[in-house]
Amino acid sequence: MDEETLAAATYLIDTQHLGQGRGTDLLGVSLSTTDRVGHAYGTQGPEMCEQMHRLDRALGTFLDRVAQIPGGALVVLTADHGGSDFVERIAARGYPHAHRIDNAPLSAVNDRLRDQFHLADSPLHSASSGLIVADKDDKALPAPLRDQVIDAALPLLRALPDIVFVEARDRLLQDPMPDTRNPEMLTVRERMRLSAVAERSADIIMIRAQNVTGGGRVGGNIAGHGTPWDYDRRVPIVFWTPGAQAQERFLPIRTIDIAPTLAAVLGLSTPSLEGRAIPLWPEADAAPESGR
C-alpha cells in the first residue's frame, strides 16, 4: 500500500508540476501500512522488518524524485503515534509484567453498580482511553444519575489491579492546561489532561499500567496504542532537504513545532501559536529556494 501511495504522490508532482510555480506548493502524503502491520503482527517480528525494508526502499525512490524538483523542496516526516509490540512477546523477551487482562474485574464493578442503583443493565461501557456511562442503547444516563454512578464507580475502578489512573472527564477538564515545553516531564494526569475533550472523551478516563492491555485476537488486532506511555507518545520528526548537512537533535521537540517551523522557512507571519519554530540548517547550508 505504501508503494502505491508514493507512486500516486510522484504522479501528482509530475502532472501538477509541483515546486515549479511562483508560489509554494504543499503535498501531504499519509503512509498507513506500518500501523496496520503493527496492529496485526506486532512491532518486533519479521512482518515489521519486511515493512520497514519496503517502506525505506519506497521512500528512498520518492526522495530521489523530490530532490530533482527545480524549485527546491523541504520534506517533513513524522507519525501520529508510536507503538509497542504485543504483550506476549514482550513478556517472553524479559518483561514478565507485560500481559493481557480480561473483563472480569470490570464486570464485577458493573454488578456492584447495578445493585446499588437498581439498574437493569450495566452502566459502564469500554471506550477509547476509558469508560462511557450509558444505558444498553449507548444513551447517556439522565442527571443526576450519571454523576452519581460516576462518583460510585471511581473508587471501585481505582481498586482494580493494573489500573494506574482513574478520573472523571469533567473533573479532569477543570485542571489547568499543563506546560508542554518539556514533554518528558509531564505527569500521567497532565498527559491525560492534554487529551481530554469535553463531550468527546470518555466519561471516565482510565489508564492501565505500562504494557498491560486487554482484548485482541490472532487474525485481528493483537497490539494497539493510545496510552499516555512514552512508547505510544514519542514519534520521529525529520526535516530533510537535498544537500543539507545531517544533524541529530537529542532534546525532544513536539509535533506542534512543525507548523511554525515551516512558516519560518517560508518567511510567513503567524498568529500566536503554542509551538515554536525550530532552527534547522545554517544559512550557508542547502535549503529550499523560496520554500517551494
Side-chain angles (χ1 to χ4, degrees):
M1 185 166 64
D2 288 344
E3 289 95 334
E4 292 299 318
T5 301
L6 289 169
T10 303
Y11 174 81
L12 287 173
I13 290 174
D14 294 339
T15 60
Q16 304 301 311
H17 310 293
L18 301 183
Q20 300 180 43
R22 299 179 61 183
T24 297
D25 295 317
L26 176 65
L27 176 63
V29 183
S30 178
L31 304 170
S32 301
T33 308
T34 301
D35 181 81
R36 299 190 65 168
V37 171
H39 280 301
Y41 303 102
T43 63
Q44 297 295 314
E47 300 87 358
M48 186 59 77
C49 290
E50 173 71 8
Q51 163 60 12
M52 291 293 98
H53 172 73
R54 294 173 66 111
L55 178 59
D56 184 70
R57 182 173 58 188
L59 275 173
T61 300
F62 180 69
L63 293 179
D64 286 344
R65 175 64 188 89
V66 170
Q68 300 169 13
I69 294 176
L74 172 62
V75 175
V76 184
L77 176 67
T78 189
D80 57 336
H81 59 77
S84 183
D85 203 13
F86 60 86
V87 294
E88 289 80 7
R89 187 155 57 199
I90 293 175
R93 290 183 172 182
Y95 295 88
H97 65 280
H99 63 279
R100 202 176 300 271
I101 61 177
D102 60 32
N103 287 326
L106 180 59
S107 296
V109 172
N110 266 322
D111 291 342
R112 291 273 301 273
L113 296 174
R114 281 201 314 272
D115 291 342
Q116 180 176 346
F117 293 98
H118 309 290
L119 301 173
D121 303 291
S122 296
L124 304 183
H125 306 266
S126 295
S128 177
S129 297
L131 301 168
I132 293 175
V133 180
D135 61 21
K136 61 182 180 61
D137 297 319
D138 293 329
K139 295 181 180 180
L141 297 182
L145 178 60
R146 173 185 174 276
D147 291 339
Q148 293 170 349
V149 169
I150 291 175
D151 288 341
L154 292 179
L156 299 176
L157 295 170
R158 287 169 180 152
L160 296 180
D162 300 313
I163 301 301
V164 297
F165 178 82
V166 178
E167 185 57 280
R169 178 198 65 204
D170 296 342
R171 293 178 188 170
L172 188 60
L173 288 171
Q174 295 175 13
D175 290 3
M177 291 296 285
D179 183 352
T180 64
R181 286 173 294 182
N182 295 298
E184 72 278 9
M185 301 298 291
L186 294 171
T187 65
V188 174
R189 187 181 184 93
E190 290 173 332
R191 297 179 185 193
M192 298 316 301
R193 174 63 185 92
L194 288 170
S195 300
V197 180
E199 299 189 17
R200 295 284 295 177
S201 298
D203 296 307
I204 298 175
I205 309 297
M206 185 171 70
I207 301 302
R208 301 186 183 100
Q210 295 188 51
N211 290 313
V212 174
T213 188
R217 63 181 180 84
V218 175
N221 287 347
I222 61 172
H225 52 79
T227 75
W229 308 121
D230 281 348
Y231 53 74
D232 278 352
R233 296 175 67 246
R234 291 182 173 175
V235 295
I237 301 177
V238 178
F239 292 89
W240 177 88
T241 195
Q245 178 182 356
Q247 304 173 16
E248 181 178 356
R249 311 287 176 88
F250 59 88
L251 294 177
I253 64 174
R254 303 162 297 174
T255 53
I256 59 173
D257 297 331
I258 293 175
T261 300
L262 292 178
V265 170
L266 296 172
L268 300 176
S269 61
T270 67
S272 177
L273 299 174
E274 185 180 350
R276 61 189 178 94
I278 305 298
L280 297 180
W281 303 277
E283 292 183 359
D285 285 348
E289 298 179 8
S290 302
R292 292 177 185 164

